[in-house]
Amino acid sequence: MLTNILFAQHEDITGLWKTIDDETGNKKGIVEIFEENGKVYGRIIEILEPEHRKRKCYKCEGVNKDKPILGLTIIKGLTKKGDIYDGGEITDPKNGKTYRCKITLDGKDKLIVRGYIGISLFGRSQIWIRQK
């Protein structure tokens, strides 16, 4: 029974996650995923590349325009639907674009984060690793 309780604590996606660039394989930052009012959000709490730590989201639009990337909420409004978190959006601070977002937990310590336009088929995925 204790094993089930411990596993259940890690079934959700809240916590700290190391992001890994799907194009370069480089570790980019740490995102804190949290729940607020029944929705899931994620904000950048650490930038691992020293040369990018003071960057701003110059290409972002709206309220995120010219805001520091450190502290930026990049995941907004996901809801859990079975084993998938869906129905929200993710912003790529590199290009300033916002995409639909779907997140799936793969085991207890790996996330598959997919940003896409229209349907999930037209997008790209990143693997994020849970931080202890």
Side-chain angles (χ1 to χ4, degrees), residues 88-92 95 97-101 115-117 124:
E89 59 187 30
I90 188 166
T91 299
D92 182 347
N95 64 21
K97 294 184 180 180
T98 299
Y99 304 93
R100 294 176 69 183
C101 181
Y116 60 96
I117 298 172
R124 63 182 231 232

Side-chain angles (χ1 to χ4, degrees), residues 4 11 36 44 47 85 98 104 115 127:
N4 290 341
E11 284 182 333
E36 188 174 287
I44 299 172
I47 297 173
Y85 293 80
T98 299
T104 308
I127 303 295

